[in-house]
Amino acid sequence: MGILKRKVETAPCTVEVSHKFESLHAHVRFNNGAVVNPGDSVIVEGPPIMAAYGEVVTEDRIAKITRATALERAWTRATGDFEFMELCEFSFSEERLS
């Protein structure tokens, strides 16, 4: 991996979209064992997958993985903790304020 040049690779993947009361999620599993590192981006090719309420839809697709440069990866690792802390600023409680 270069310091300033991004590498793009494709990987076969399985996409699972669940729209149930117990679980609302979308997961991507790379069938070739590819690993996504900090700063990388993934785009799954094809039309959007829509699951009706109560369904789980699983499809095989192709994903395009754009690898971060060494500089982008270092920046993501250095600043990632700050972005996580933004999420921690929100809390939910059962108390009602009048």
Side-chain angles (χ1 to χ4, degrees):
M1 261 178 259
I3 294 176
L4 299 174
K5 187 170 179 175
R6 293 183 179 156
K7 181 180 171 187
V8 178
E9 60 186 69
T10 58
C13 65
T14 301
V15 180
E16 178 183 280
V17 177
S18 174
H19 189 187
K20 291 184 166 189
F21 178 78
E22 304 85 22
S23 178
L24 178 64
H25 68 261
H27 294 286
V28 176
R29 183 181 67 246
F30 298 109
N31 299 336
N32 66 352
V35 176
V36 178
N37 297 307
D40 294 347
S41 64
V42 177
I43 296 178
V44 177
E45 297 177 352
I49 300 172
M50 304 298 287
Y53 184 76
E55 288 186 347
V56 177
V57 178
T58 303
E59 291 188 13
D60 290 326
R61 298 280 180 98
I62 298 293
K64 183 173 78 170
I65 304 170
T66 304
R67 301 291 181 184
T69 63
L71 184 60
E72 289 171 325
R73 181 159 293 127
W75 178 256
T76 301
R77 286 186 177 142
T79 62
D81 291 337
F82 298 120
E83 292 179 19
F84 173 74
M85 293 307 291
E86 288 179 17
L87 296 175
C88 294
E89 291 179 14
F90 299 98
S91 66
F92 300 94
S93 66
E94 294 181 17
E95 293 181 27
R96 183 175 178 159
L97 301 175
S98 299

